[in-house]
Amino acid sequence: MTWIDISQPLHSGIPVWPGDAPFQYDEAGSKVNELDVNLYIGKARVIHLPGREKIKAEDLMEKEWGGISRLLIRTDSWRDRNVFPEEICHLDPDAVPYLKKQGIRLIGLDVPSVDPIDSKTLPAHHALWDAGIHILEGAVLDNVEEGIYELMALPLPILGGDGSPVRAVIRPVAESL
C-alpha cells in the first residue's frame, strides 16, 4: 500500500504563529530529543469531525476505538494553509479524561494547536500533558478518510527543543491487523 504524506510542506512563505513562537506551556516537560519515538510510530485511527467549534467528549464517544492508542482528528477547519488561521476547531479539555480512558497516548489534529489560537492559558495542552498524551499538530488530513492507518511522524531530535517539525506519513491497514 502507498504511503500518504500528511506533512505540512515547509517553505519560506509558510504561515507562522503570530508574534513570536508558540508559548512553551511546561518548562519542566520533556525536550524533543527525550521523547519516546515509539509513540510516533504504529497504528492510528483517523476520525472526521467537521463543522465544530470544539471537540467534546460526546463527539469522541460516537466513534469506534478498537484499542488503538494514536488518534488523528480531521476537522477541516484550517482551509487555507497559506494563511495562519484566526480561528480553529480545538479540543475541549474536558474530553481528555475520556481520551485517557480509551488508552490514547498520541493525539493529532489538522490545526496548528489543540487550544484556541488566542488562548493564553492553553488548558488542552496542560490537560493532555497531565494525562500523558502527546500532541501532533498541523497534520494535513484534507483527503484522508476515516479508518485505521500505520503512522510514522518522527520529531527531529533537536537538543533542548520544545517542538519540532515532522515528516508525517500514513498508509491504510486492514481492520483485522
Side-chain angles (χ1 to χ4, degrees), residues 70-84:
R70 295 165 199 87
L71 174 64
L72 302 176
I73 303 175
R74 178 179 159 196
T75 68
D76 294 337
S77 68
W78 188 2
R79 299 257 188 249
D80 183 358
R81 284 193 177 72
N82 293 310
V83 178
F84 197 86

Side-chain angles (χ1 to χ4, degrees), residues 8-143:
Q8 170 74 15
L10 301 178
H11 55 86
S12 62
I14 191 170
V16 295
W17 201 272
D20 296 327
F23 168 70
Q24 171 61 28
Y25 63 96
D26 188 345
E27 298 216 5
S30 298
K31 304 302 181 221
V32 175
N33 59 293
E34 300 168 343
L35 296 175
D36 179 2
V37 297
N38 292 297
L39 290 171
Y40 302 88
I41 303 170
K43 279 196 207 174
R45 181 169 297 279
V46 173
I47 62 173
H48 191 199
L49 296 173
R52 290 166 174 79
E53 177 183 330
K54 63 181 167 181
I55 299 163
K56 301 177 184 177
E58 49 267 22
D59 298 320
L60 300 168
M61 290 175 190
E62 298 172 0
K63 301 293 182 176
E64 294 282 330
W65 294 102
I68 292 177
S69 63
R70 295 165 199 87
L71 174 64
L72 302 176
I73 303 175
R74 178 179 159 196
T75 68
D76 294 337
S77 68
W78 188 2
R79 299 257 188 249
D80 183 358
R81 284 193 177 72
N82 293 310
V83 178
F84 197 86
E86 293 181 20
E87 292 182 348
I88 55 170
C89 177
H90 58 277
L91 183 66
D92 185 337
D94 293 341
V96 174
Y98 177 76
L99 292 168
K100 183 175 181 170
K101 182 179 176 185
Q102 298 305 313
I104 298 300
R105 300 278 326 279
L106 175 74
I107 185 168
L109 284 92
D110 60 352
V111 291
S113 179
V114 293
D115 282 296
I117 295 296
D118 60 354
S119 176
K120 302 296 183 215
T121 59
L122 304 174
H125 277 86
H126 287 287
L128 290 164
W129 175 253
D130 291 344
I133 301 173
H134 291 250
I135 304 168
L136 176 65
E137 295 164 327
V140 180
L141 300 170
D142 300 354
N143 299 309

